[in-house]
Amino acid sequence: MSDIRLGIGSLHAAYASGMSAAAIIETVFQRIAKADDPGIFIHLASKADLFAEADALGGFDPVAKPLWGVPFAVKDNIDVAGMPTTAGCAEYAYLPAKDATVVARLRAAGALVVGKTNLDQFATGLVGVRTPYPVPRNAIDPKLVPGGSSCGSAVATAHGIVSFALGTDTAGSGRIPAGLNNIVGLKPTVGALSATGVVPACRTLDCVSVFALTVDDAYSVFRAAAAKDDVDPYSRAIAAPPLGPRPPVLTVGVPAKADRKFFGDAAMQAGFETALRTLEQLGCRLIEIPFGDFYATANLLYEGAWVAERYAAIADFMDVNETAMHPVTRTIIGGARKLSAADAFKGLYALQAHKARLAPVIASVDLFCVPTAPTHYSLETVLADPIVTNSRLGTYTNFVNLLDMCGIAVPTGKRDDDLPMSVTLLAAAGKDALTATLASELHAASGLGLGATGWAMPAFAAKSFDPTDDLIELVVVGAHLSGMPLNGQLCALGGRLSRAARTVASYQLYALAGQSVPKPGLVRVADGNGTSIDVEVWRLSPDAFGRFVAAIPPPLGIGTIELDDGTSAKGFLVETAGLSRAIDISAYGGWRSFVARPAERVESVPAD
């Protein structure tokens, strides 16, 4: 039993073969004992309670309950009915009568709560050592900090004690511990997972996060938990579709070389550059982005409005129990008492200015890739300088929720010194599926073992769509291709790439004249008299398809396009009248090849 992998797929395969949930529960407790780390959990469920909860699930049914029998841990600022919530401060403890909404949804999906995990007190910190309880040991190297604030959840996951764990993430607490412990940390779009029943740090920015050994597991948990919660005023309806194929060309923004910060850690810098080369090998197009405004946004998080928000969350407790707090936490949050309402508004104004400047930058690429952390710190170094080291760890995380971005931290290899290397993929709100899809490929390319378990990476399985859904396929041929100027219009409507394809050899492709954005026109000709043209097939909801088609300008229109795989779908065609002064570019085999051609003289061909 002790060698069973607790990845969701492996675990469900074991259940399907007759493994009992009771045996898995025993395995969990064996691994807790083997880890021998009193800093991971603050409270554990009893075996008897877990056995009873597993029995109540009934027979194994992963369709009705997609997380049937899957053990998980919960950061101790998230309520679990019957278990005390401490937020890392024993004097703050209370006993909730019901689960946090996100926990309730996961339990309804069949998951089993093993216990509550340690954290930087009141979720204030990225180091994982600001706790009155024993500090969890970094699962990879105990001399290093485990990362925070969700330290216990990350370490429990890295040891394979649980299949996944919940954290929270305001400034990076769901990403930094993942990066430092060689696991995946999914930070959803703010509001995608309910924060009802979560002790707030900054209510306007908080989100529940997911730790797992693989991207697929983290995203499966996200899908099970994501839902609009009318009780949570910050909750939003964020799409959580199954992972599908990713666009063959993605534009990825990366910090400009001159703006990258590693604080002298050459191994982390080299590891990041290796990760970027892997992205290029996966077909991504990297674009260097000046990062000054991102850093300036990050600096706001521990100034003015958001420090005051942390104080507002626990003011009633702090004002009468200040001596019970961790000294560093007390210093940071107590600084809010010196601030005025005017300071808060100045911070809000500054953030809005940064948002306005960065909105077109964020929209200019499909997603971003940044180091998860700029360096690794030892326990000794952090204890000697707790404020500066913590601030540096947030270099690439603090701005994310302020700018309403989603992200996922993913291991990409080992540094030259064998310490974990991790990057975080970021994107605008609602692009959680896109970041996870690319992260899954990036993780698979690393060939790493999982966490600190010694388990090999599962074989990578290419994603495909469910053919029974009600989405409509749309064939695009030019400026709406992935990585092209108008692709954002498809993405904004929730469009998702299905596949790259080619038409049958009955089409001609023209570069149209007089277009504000260069684009081609596809024309059907007699069978055998045309060329096979590269296209992409995207999928849209019926409503989105209708809105997209209604906005198509002449001379383009929609017709049926036959593909060389024997299928057909609606797609872009051009009216004959639109071919005046157009250039026949069929010989290039597609718009992307034409755009990438070396500079040359191309003669226009009058259309018949």
Side-chain angles (χ1 to χ4, degrees), residues 572-591:
F572 280 96
L573 294 170
V574 65
E575 301 168 356
T576 304
L579 296 181
S580 175
R581 297 184 294 115
I583 300 169
D584 187 343
I585 58 171
S586 305
Y588 289 93
W591 181 247

Side-chain angles (χ1 to χ4, degrees), residues 91-443:
E91 291 79 1
Y92 181 81
Y94 61 90
L95 193 65
K98 62 180 183 179
D99 292 331
T101 299
V102 66
V103 173
R105 288 189 59 81
L106 294 172
R107 277 181 149 166
L112 305 171
V113 181
V114 170
K116 305 291 290 296
T117 56
N118 204 351
L119 67 155
D120 281 316
Q121 191 175 79
F122 295 114
T124 301
L126 295 173
V127 287
V129 304
R130 297 173 182 174
T131 172
Y133 303 100
V135 174
R137 295 191 295 271
N138 183 298
I140 306 301
D141 185 340
K143 296 189 298 296
L144 303 177
V145 293
S149 59
S150 311
C151 47
S153 286
V155 174
T157 303
H159 281 303
I161 293 170
V162 290
S163 301
F164 70 92
L166 297 183
T168 59
D169 192 314
T170 303
S173 297
R175 292 161 280 158
I176 292 296
L180 302 188
N181 287 277
N182 191 40
I183 61 173
V184 172
L186 188 155
K187 188 217 77 70
T189 298
V190 174
L193 302 187
S194 169
T196 299
V198 179
V199 178
C202 294
R203 284 196 69 194
T204 59
L205 302 177
D206 293 339
C207 66
V208 175
S209 65
V210 181
F211 295 103
L213 292 173
T214 66
V215 173
D216 284 358
D217 281 0
Y219 193 79
S220 294
V221 173
F222 168 64
R223 290 196 71 216
K228 176 75 166 61
D229 176 13
D230 291 338
V231 178
D232 175 6
Y234 293 99
S235 178
R236 293 189 281 181
I238 299 295
L243 295 183
R246 70 168 175 86
V249 178
L250 287 171
T251 54
V252 180
V254 301
K257 287 187 178 69
D259 291 341
R260 295 174 192 171
K261 296 183 179 183
F262 296 99
F263 304 103
D265 191 333
M268 196 70 91
Q269 180 176 352
F272 181 61
E273 291 169 356
T274 298
L276 295 185
R277 287 193 291 272
T278 301
L279 283 174
E280 288 182 315
Q281 291 165 4
L282 292 174
C284 296
R285 182 163 59 93
L286 306 187
I287 298 176
E288 291 197 16
I289 302 290
F291 246 60
D293 280 335
F294 288 95
Y295 295 143
T297 303
N299 291 338
L300 294 174
L301 194 60
Y302 285 96
E303 299 173 2
W306 296 277
V307 175
E309 191 173 17
R310 288 180 184 270
Y311 175 62
I314 60 166
D316 292 343
F317 172 81
M318 185 173 181
D319 289 347
V320 295
N321 295 280
E322 189 164 346
T323 57
M325 294 175 63
H326 189 282
V328 178
T329 308
R330 182 172 66 237
T331 298
I332 292 169
I333 298 178
R337 291 174 173 146
K338 301 174 185 176
L339 300 171
S340 67
D343 293 319
F345 277 103
K346 288 177 182 176
L348 293 172
Y349 298 155
L351 175 59
Q352 192 60 32
H354 289 311
K355 282 183 172 180
R357 282 194 294 271
L358 288 171
V361 177
I362 294 171
S364 71
V365 295
D366 293 305
L367 66 169
F368 289 81
C369 178
V370 298
T372 299
T375 188
H376 286 278
Y377 280 123
S378 68
L379 288 162
E380 182 181 11
T381 300
V382 168
L383 293 175
D385 194 352
I387 303 294
V388 170
T389 51
N390 188 91
S391 176
R392 287 180 173 179
L393 282 178
T395 299
Y396 298 104
T397 61
N398 285 353
F399 60 80
V400 175
N401 285 1
L402 288 166
L403 295 174
D404 198 17
M405 302 175 78
C406 61
I408 185 167
V410 59
T412 57
K414 291 184 179 180
R415 307 177 349 153
D416 296 341
D417 54 9
D418 277 345
L419 293 180
M421 182 63 216
S422 170
V423 301
T424 295
L425 302 179
L426 302 169
K431 289 187 172 183
D432 304 79
L434 177 64
T435 56
T437 298
L438 181 57
S440 181
E441 288 192 47
L442 189 57
H443 195 198

Side-chain angles (χ1 to χ4, degrees), residues 394-558:
T395 299
Y396 298 104
T397 61
N398 285 353
F399 60 80
V400 175
N401 285 1
L402 288 166
L403 295 174
D404 198 17
M405 302 175 78
C406 61
I408 185 167
V410 59
T412 57
K414 291 184 179 180
R415 307 177 349 153
D416 296 341
D417 54 9
D418 277 345
L419 293 180
M421 182 63 216
S422 170
V423 301
T424 295
L425 302 179
L426 302 169
K431 289 187 172 183
D432 304 79
L434 177 64
T435 56
T437 298
L438 181 57
S440 181
E441 288 192 47
L442 189 57
H443 195 198
S446 73
L448 285 169
L450 303 179
T453 65
W455 301 337
M457 176 85 65
F460 178 74
K463 306 296 188 295
S464 60
F465 283 111
D466 178 0
T468 65
D469 62 29
D470 64 351
L471 300 182
I472 298 173
E473 291 193 332
L474 174 71
V475 177
V476 298
V477 67
H480 287 92
L481 292 167
S482 59
M484 292 292 173
L486 300 183
N487 182 250
Q489 294 178 357
L490 279 175
C491 295
L493 289 169
R496 302 186 69 201
L497 177 77
S498 173
R499 62 194 185 278
R502 291 179 66 81
T503 69
V504 296
S506 301
Y507 292 88
Q508 288 180 328
L509 188 68
Y510 291 86
L512 302 180
Q515 302 295 312
S516 57
V517 175
K519 63 187 68 166
L522 190 68
V523 177
R524 178 72 188 244
V525 296
D527 291 347
N529 292 335
T531 303
S532 181
I533 302 296
D534 291 331
V535 297
E536 289 178 358
V537 182
W538 285 68
R539 294 161 69 83
L540 292 163
S541 70
D543 174 68
F545 181 84
R547 285 187 285 150
F548 183 81
V549 170
I552 294 174
L556 298 175
I558 294 291

